Amino acid sequence: MSEKPILEIQHLHKRFTSKGICVRAVTDVSFTVNEGETVGLVGESGCGKTTLGRCIVRGIEASEGSVIYRKADGTELDFLKLDKKQMKEVRREIQMIFQDPYASLDPRMTVFDIISEPLKANFKLTKEELAAKVMDIAKKAGLNTTYLKRYPHAFSGGQRQRIGIARALVLMPRVIVCDEAVSALDVSIQAQIINLLKELQDDFKLTYLFISHDLSVVEHISNKVGVMYLGRMVEYAKTEDLFANPLHPYTEALLSAVPVADPDVKIERIPLQGEIPNPANPPSGCYFHERCRYCTKKCEEEAPVFTDMGNGHFVACHRAAELKLNGITKNGVLK
């Protein structure tokens, strides 16, 4: 892992408009991903994680902002300004693994055809060259190569996800967006897929954007973590810093809900009051203030700025400096 940025997301917005109603799915999100590292994205359902990931790979078009990608030769490209031909060329270098390992695979295609399809779309290869590349990447993904002529329905969930990984990997990308890549799998299979992803990252010098609900998985695989709430990035830090000293009340509440495999350890659960606000009509000021136990008048009226609190620990909270300095006691009272 290096400190050389490979992706810079700058003030990214995504709005969906229908019948005069505007839903702000992603609002002014900015962060940097360095080459060779894994950045986790966490948050409740509907917070904009998947939408952000799809905007980055241009699976859907962002409304505003920039996604700066640095190629291996140092050339900088803004994904959002590339035409279709330019995007096709650079898309080989950024791929996506989808959440549902069955719905993302064409049931009418064999595993060999699924894995080889990206190669056919991007290169002119002989049958022998095509077969060799597919066999090689299938082995690296942990697939039994004698079953490549079978269809997706003949495989288990974990094997299907390995097929999706092989398909994403076959073009030798530099960046892979993993959208809930293990959430549909059993716990034991999750561990196998996570270990596989880490092995592939070491072998191919991959960079991951890892989207997940499971904080324990994110802690295990990620170098940095971004926390999203109602389309906004509210905290972004190195994994060890964020888990040891969360500076946003929402992150604090999420971490308090993570189970600990020790019956002697007691954790103060922090239940969040109320419901997630309507993204078509978000609250004024800080989006989280209606559910925050540290809320002040300023929080209700003024949106916090996404600020570096030191050591690359960014947070959007008016009281972050107090939380960092003093820590927290029960009932939301600062020490």
Side-chain angles (χ1 to χ4, degrees), residues 118 163 194 213 218 224 229 294 307:
I163 297 168
I194 290 167
H213 286 95
V218 168
K224 295 177 183 175
Y229 181 79
Y294 310 119
T307 305

Side-chain angles (χ1 to χ4, degrees), residues 152-169:
H153 73 267
F155 295 86
S156 66
Q159 290 172 322
R160 290 172 192 159
Q161 197 61 288
R162 290 176 187 270
I163 297 168
I165 291 170
R167 178 179 58 185
L169 197 64

Side-chain angles (χ1 to χ4, degrees), residues 12 26 41-42 54 68 71 77 87 112 120-121 123 163 186 202 220 226 241 250 272 287 310-311 334:
L12 197 69
V26 176
L41 283 181
V42 300
R54 290 176 182 263
I68 306 300
K71 300 183 70 175
L77 301 172
M87 194 61 203
F112 182 91
K120 294 176 182 177
F123 304 104
I163 297 168
D186 293 338
D202 293 337
H220 177 70
D241 291 344
Y250 179 61
L272 293 177
Y287 282 6
N311 197 31
L334 292 172

Side-chain angles (χ1 to χ4, degrees), residues 73-271:
D73 61 5
T75 305
E76 293 188 3
L77 301 172
D78 185 347
F79 278 171
L80 307 188
K81 294 181 179 178
L82 301 181
D83 59 30
K84 288 185 178 180
K85 183 179 179 181
Q86 293 171 319
M87 194 61 203
K88 182 180 178 181
E89 293 175 358
V90 77
R91 197 182 291 279
R92 302 170 189 170
E93 301 187 20
I94 180 166
Q95 293 290 308
M96 193 164 188
I97 299 170
F98 298 93
Q99 176 176 358
D100 190 331
Y102 188 64
S104 63
L105 304 177
D106 190 330
R108 296 169 295 180
M109 295 175 68
T110 65
V111 172
F112 182 91
D113 291 335
I114 289 170
I115 298 174
S116 64
E117 187 177 28
L119 292 171
K120 294 176 182 177
N122 287 277
F123 304 104
K124 293 182 179 180
L125 302 173
T126 65
K127 288 185 177 181
E128 292 75 17
E129 291 172 333
L130 188 69
K133 285 185 177 292
V134 171
M135 294 286 281
D136 179 59
I137 213 68
K139 289 178 182 177
K140 286 182 169 61
L143 291 168
N144 188 329
T145 55
T146 61
Y147 299 152
L148 295 184
K149 291 299 181 181
R150 295 186 179 183
Y151 292 86
H153 73 267
F155 295 86
S156 66
Q159 290 172 322
R160 290 172 192 159
Q161 197 61 288
R162 290 176 187 270
I163 297 168
I165 291 170
R167 178 179 58 185
L169 197 64
V170 75
L171 292 177
M172 296 298 163
R174 298 177 67 217
V175 179
I176 297 181
V177 176
C178 305
D179 180 18
E180 301 278 6
V182 297
S183 64
L185 308 176
D186 293 338
V187 174
S188 60
I189 305 301
Q190 283 186 14
Q192 293 177 20
I193 297 300
I194 290 167
N195 290 335
L196 173 64
L197 290 172
K198 294 185 75 172
E199 290 173 9
L200 293 172
Q201 184 174 39
D202 293 337
D203 292 343
F204 296 100
K205 311 302 179 187
L206 297 170
T207 302
Y208 291 140
L209 184 63
F210 192 86
I211 300 167
S212 178
H213 286 95
D214 194 330
L215 285 165
S216 58
V217 171
V218 168
E219 183 180 18
H220 177 70
I221 198 173
S222 302
N223 304 106
K224 295 177 183 175
V225 179
V227 181
M228 294 189 66
Y229 181 79
L230 204 67
R232 289 183 179 270
M233 184 80 77
V234 296
E235 190 162 4
Y236 183 76
K238 294 178 181 178
T239 304
E240 57 270 22
D241 291 344
L242 185 134
F243 278 78
N245 186 28
L247 298 182
H248 196 282
Y250 179 61
T251 310
E252 178 198 18
L254 289 181
L255 294 181
S256 78
V258 177
V260 176
D262 187 342
D264 296 325
V265 174
K266 294 183 179 180
I267 298 177
E268 179 200 356
R269 304 297 179 189
I270 304 172

Side-chain angles (χ1 to χ4, degrees), residues 55-75:
C55 285
I56 290 172
V57 300
R58 281 188 70 178
I60 55 177
E61 297 292 337
S63 302
E64 294 178 39
S66 301
V67 178
I68 306 300
Y69 170 67
R70 286 185 175 85
K71 300 183 70 175
D73 61 5
T75 305

